[in-house]
Amino acid sequence: SVHILKNHVDIVNNPKTNKITNIGKLMRIESVLPTSLLTFMGGWISYPGLGGLLQSSAFWASAFATQCIMTGSMVINDIFDRSIDAINHPERPLVDGSVSLMEAILLAIGLFGSAQLVALRFLPSPLPQFVAIVIGTLVLYTPVFKHIPFIKNLLCSSIVASSVAF
């Protein structure tokens, strides 16, 4: 049991494990399950049988793109809200320095880029264009739209509601 405890301590103190954990915090990984349920609901509407749904490459591509967009939007929010988070949420990975600004920017580019590439490759038109519009809106959301009453609510609710149809 001492050996197991020592291995557990090594895992907890491992900088690579901590980096992955902090990137997960930045991406709000706890939102993956609810987002998956929304995606599954929309897929079920399109393919009411489980067999058809699970065999649909469009479903899996849209599910992957949706997750990348959701997690990318969380990263972008933290990038733009660093000064606010320094006061309200000093434990956030960008504020406490456990994830660097450059790492966060590259992560957001990777997530949004992956969503767009998968949409272009596996989804029919006009869905890749829709993905590009949503990504552009989310990049502008925190620095521009978040400060405009009603518009911010309209954009958020529209994007979340459209994820079911997407």
Side-chain angles (χ1 to χ4, degrees), residues 45-151:
I45 291 167
S46 297
Y47 299 98
L50 193 59
L53 177 64
L54 296 179
Q55 293 177 10
S56 167
S57 62
F59 168 72
W60 290 110
S62 66
F64 178 79
T66 300
Q67 292 296 343
C68 287
I69 290 169
M70 182 275 299
T71 54
S73 71
M74 300 301 175
V75 175
I76 284 291
N77 178 68
D78 276 15
I79 288 170
F80 285 111
D81 276 354
R82 289 185 324 273
S83 61
I84 295 167
D85 287 346
I87 297 165
N88 296 331
H89 298 286
E91 75 285 355
R92 298 293 310 146
L94 277 174
V95 176
D96 72 14
S98 57
V99 176
S100 73
L101 178 59
M102 185 52 68
E103 288 170 332
I105 291 169
L106 291 173
L107 179 60
I109 290 169
L111 289 165
F112 287 149
S114 295
Q116 191 64 64
L117 287 173
V118 165
L120 287 167
R121 173 67 177 91
F122 295 103
L123 297 178
S125 185
L127 293 180
Q129 294 87 345
F130 178 74
V131 168
I133 290 167
V134 168
I135 290 169
T137 301
L138 290 171
V139 169
L140 294 173
Y141 177 78
T142 302
V144 177
F145 301 122
K146 190 175 181 177
H147 309 289
I148 306 171
F150 181 71
I151 297 297

